[in-house]
Amino acid sequence: MKKVLTIAGSDCSGGAGIQADLKTITAYGMYGMSAITALTVQNTKGVFDICEPDTKYLSGQLEVIFTDIMPDAVKIGMLSSPEIVRTVTEALKRYKPAHVVVDPVMVSTSGYSLAKDSAAGEAAKELYSLATVLTPNLPETEALLAIAGLERAAGQENVVGQEHAAGEKCTDGSERKIRSKDDMEQAAKELSLHFGTAVLVKGGHLLDGADDCLGEKGEAVWFSGERIETENTHGTGCTLSSAIACGLAAGWKLPKAVECARWYLRGALKADPKLGHGNGPVNHCFAIPECFGREQL
């Protein structure tokens, strides 16, 4: 049985974070494990508070998992402080899991900051280079471009490799925005070269489609798909990255893992359970056959 570890924050309402990850892993028929990086007070209407565990507890969770049931793939989500980032990075360097999917979570769907700026900078120093793939949405892609120093002023060509200290904002007023598919492709290529890993730039924030672009070693592969009109998108980033981790755990090549993960997320969005009074969750169980009420068991 394939095993997948999620290292992320807990969503008590069940739509995102650890809970969404474990549901996705189960839907893929795999064994899910979790190391919790934060406790959040949240529901479909927003995030109201965050509590970080002492790093010794996070380190302990990771040690007992890696030394007992070695995961075939690891998904990493919310890392809210530099200390948490360093703890996770140290564990990955020590135990060297075969596949690592990093969802660089920075802000919740409701707009609540889930990571200090210094946490993103710390992750950029060493964690991202350990990943098999990063899965940023467009705002996160813009933040990664700034952290990587891949900014450009209006009308000027971007200089690949232009360095800024990790975590620092550019001061020349040249904040780079992703407004088109061409912008997405360029960002995916540049970030993949800068961090030395594949980068899947998710296009859900564009108004004219739902296409994603995978940058790997400076090359780009596009994944096209229909845009599903729904307000219930809570946990979509967690779900997609966990599904990609499952595909890698199964031994699939990255493009196949991405394509199958996108299929799973589309199905979960279409099967909208319409829960809560805000931005509701997707239906992670849409593809699981009904277990109750069968005439023959």
Side-chain angles (χ1 to χ4, degrees), residues 110-130:
S110 60
Y112 193 101
S113 178
L114 299 176
K116 302 171 185 175
D117 288 343
S118 54
E122 184 67 29
K125 288 179 183 178
E126 295 191 59
L127 175 63
Y128 293 159
S129 64
L130 302 177

Side-chain angles (χ1 to χ4, degrees), residues 33-45:
M33 301 174 286
S34 64
I36 297 177
T37 61
L39 300 175
T40 68
V41 178
Q42 69 173 296
N43 58 21
T44 63
K45 294 187 285 187

